C-alpha cells in the first residue's frame, strides 16, 4: 500500500482528511485558484465542471466569475463530496450547483454537458490520465475549455520526492501535459508557469468539429 501524507490527498478520508479539505479551501490553494482562473475567458461560460472538487471552494470561485449559470463538482472521495455539498449548500438549494461522486475516467455526465472543465491539484492522482482527458473532452461542448492547474511541476524537488515515495502519484512537466492534452484531441493548448510561485497551468480547447 502507498504511504500517503496525513489525510490522503488522492482520496481524503477521516478526521485528517476533513482537516486537509478545510486547509485546501483557503491559503495558498486560494492563490493558486485565483491565478488559474484568471487565465480563462469566461464569456459565454454557463455550465462549468470542477473535477476533484475537494472541499468545494473552487465551485464558489467559479460561480463568482460566471454570470448566472450552473456549476458541478465531481470527486472520487465520499468525504470530499460531503464537504463540498456543505460548502455550497445554499447554491445547491437554489439549483445553481450540484456535487456528484464519481471517477474522472468514467464521468457520469452526458456528452457536451459543459462549457468549462477545471481541475486543481488533482491530475497528479489520476490513475489513467489519458482516459481522464478523453472524458473531459467528451463532456465539453465544442469550443469549451479545459484548465488543469497544479501547485508544482517536475522542477519542484519536494513534490518530486513525495511522488517518488507514492506509486500512485505523478508530478508532470508543463510540456508533458501539453502533449497529453494534444494527444486527447484538444487544440490551442498552452501552458505557463507563474514566475514567483512556480504554479503551472495548462489550457486547451475542444475543437469546434471532430476530425
Amino acid at each position: 500500500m502507498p504511504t500517503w501524507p496525513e489525510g490522503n490527498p488522492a482520496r481524503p478520508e477521516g478526521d485528517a482528511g476533513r482537516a486537509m479539505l478545510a486547509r485546501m479551501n483557503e491559503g495558498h490553494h486560494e492563490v493558486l485558484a485565483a491565478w488559474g482562473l484568471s487565465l480563462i475567458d469566461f464569456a459565454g461560460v454557463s455550465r462549468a465542471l470542477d473535477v476533484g472538487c475537494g472541499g468545494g471552494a473552487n465551485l464558489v470561485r467559479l460561480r463568482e466569475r460566471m454570470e448566472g449559470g450552473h456549476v458541478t463538482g465531481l470527486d472520487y472521495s465520499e468525504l470530499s463530496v460531503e464537504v463540498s455539498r456543505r460548502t455550497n449548500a445554499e447554491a445547491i438549494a437554489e439549483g445553481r450547483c450540484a456535487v456528484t461522486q464519481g471517477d474522472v475516467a468514467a464521468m457520469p455526465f452526458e456528452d457536451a454537458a459543459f462549457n468549462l472543465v477545471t481541475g486543481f491539484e488533482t491530475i497528479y492522482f489520476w490513475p489513467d490520465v489519458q482516459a481522464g482527458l478523453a472524458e473531459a473532452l467528451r463532456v465539453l461542448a465544442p469550443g469549451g475549455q479545459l484548465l488543469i492547474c497544479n501547485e508544482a511541476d517536475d522542477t519542484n524537488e519536494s513534490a518530486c520526492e513525495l511522488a517518488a515515495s507514492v506509486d500512485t502519484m505523478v508530478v508532470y512537466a508543463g510540456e508533458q501535459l501539453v502533449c497529453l492534452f494534444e494527444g486527447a484531441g484538444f487544440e490551442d493548448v498552452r501552458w505557463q508557469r507563474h514566475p514567483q510561485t512556480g504554479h503551472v497551468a495548462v489550457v486547451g480547447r475542444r475543437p469546434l468539429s471532430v476530425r
Side-chain angles (χ1 to χ4, degrees), residues 104-127:
V104 67
M107 297 191 205
F109 307 117
E110 296 181 357
D111 295 355
F114 305 99
N115 315 114
L116 172 65
V117 175
T118 62
F120 295 88
E121 294 283 88
T122 180
I123 200 170
Y124 307 126
F125 309 114
W126 294 3

Side-chain angles (χ1 to χ4, degrees), residues 9-92:
R11 190 173 187 175
E13 52 195 356
D15 290 341
R18 195 177 298 276
M20 183 185 65
L21 290 170
R23 293 193 302 272
M24 291 178 69
N25 272 349
E26 54 189 27
H28 61 276
H29 292 280
E30 184 174 3
V31 174
L32 172 70
W35 174 68
L37 292 173
S38 74
L39 306 177
I40 293 296
D41 177 7
F42 277 88
V45 175
S46 59
R47 295 163 289 132
L49 167 68
D50 186 43
V51 175
C53 58
N58 284 330
L59 300 177
V60 178
R61 294 169 187 138
L62 282 164
R63 288 200 309 276
E64 289 173 347
R65 289 161 173 80
M66 297 166 58
E67 293 190 11
H70 188 277
V71 176
T72 300
L74 177 73
D75 206 287
Y76 190 58
S77 161
E78 182 177 350
L79 177 60
S80 292
V81 170
E82 174 196 328
V83 174
S84 283
R85 285 175 176 167
R86 187 168 63 250
T87 302
N88 294 274
E90 182 177 346
I92 290 171

Side-chain angles (χ1 to χ4, degrees), residues 3-4 14-16 32-33 43 47 50 82 85 99 116 119 121 126-127 129-130 139 145 158 167 174 190 197:
T3 300
W4 282 108
D15 290 341
L32 172 70
R47 295 163 289 132
D50 186 43
E82 174 196 328
R85 285 175 176 167
V99 182
L116 172 65
E121 294 283 88
W126 294 3
V129 173
Q130 290 180 322
V139 302
Q145 304 165 89
S158 61
D167 59 8
R190 65 188 192 278
T197 64

